[in-house]
Amino acid sequence: GFNLNDFAIRLKSINDITDKNDYIIRGINSGEFDQYELIPEKPINISSIDMIFNFNPGITLDLKNLKLFSKENVYIIEENNLIITSKNTFFLNNEFKNKIVFTSNNNEILNLNLNKVFKDIDKIIFSLKFDKLSLVNRMCQ
């Protein structure tokens, strides 16, 4: 079923060695930026992240940044440095912020391509904002 309570994350590496786990992120806060933490089962090299959603159409996502942690470094990847692809979403771009709009009744996978391999990542923090569009049929007002 549809929900606005959780989503899943799948971590991938460019050499196709993928963490076989889908990590469930629970407790979405709507209408404000929040940080969502993921700790992989073991440190992993990653080059892309799949975010798996099952939302009703009309939900929006703002992605501010990702923070990748290893024992030696903290990498902050801003939204404009990611290549984001999907099958059924729209991307609303303006000079202040970019929004991803979910439009399908099916599962949606957003792929975040990190543009390089980050080694031995043991924690990821996503800075995200979920919201609902104000879409109303005029006859329903």
Side-chain angles (χ1 to χ4, degrees):
F2 298 108
N3 70 66
L4 188 56
N5 297 323
D6 53 34
F7 60 97
I9 302 290
R10 186 176 300 143
L11 305 175
K12 300 165 103 180
S13 180
I14 200 162
N15 58 5
D16 218 21
I17 298 172
T18 301
D19 185 337
K20 301 296 181 203
N21 296 307
D22 285 344
Y23 297 94
I24 306 297
I25 307 294
R26 299 201 188 279
I28 292 175
N29 292 323
S30 183
E32 60 189 47
F33 272 100
D34 206 348
Q35 295 188 350
Y36 300 90
E37 181 178 272
L38 180 144
I39 298 175
E41 193 172 81
K42 60 183 180 181
I44 184 173
N45 299 339
I46 60 171
S47 60
S48 74
I49 299 170
D50 282 347
M51 300 178 76
I52 306 161
F53 300 96
N54 193 10
F55 293 160
N56 284 320
I59 301 298
T60 64
L61 168 64
D62 294 314
L63 172 69
K64 185 185 271 183
N65 61 39
L66 304 176
K67 293 179 186 169
L68 307 176
F69 296 83
S70 70
K71 287 184 176 154
E72 294 82 32
N73 293 308
V74 175
Y75 306 97
I76 299 174
I77 305 168
E78 299 297 329
E79 177 266 343
N80 59 351
N81 292 322
L82 295 168
I83 297 172
I84 303 173
T85 58
S86 72
K87 188 174 180 182
N88 295 307
T89 59
F90 286 104
F91 297 88
L92 298 176
N93 301 315
N94 68 33
E95 61 186 276
F96 301 110
K97 59 184 173 180
N98 298 320
K99 285 187 181 289
I100 299 166
V101 181
F102 293 90
T103 62
S104 176
N105 283 323
N106 297 317
N107 286 344
E108 182 62 60
I109 299 174
L110 292 180
N111 177 266
L112 311 179
N113 185 325
L114 307 177
N115 295 318
K116 72 177 202 174
V117 177
F118 292 89
K119 297 189 180 284
D120 297 319
I121 300 302
D122 55 17
K123 181 166 88 169
I124 304 170
I125 295 178
F126 299 83
S127 182
L128 306 172
K129 177 183 170 186
F130 296 93
D131 220 339
K132 294 179 184 179
L133 290 175
S134 298
L135 300 176
V136 177
N137 185 328
R138 288 180 195 231
M139 300 303 288
C140 294
Q141 291 182 352

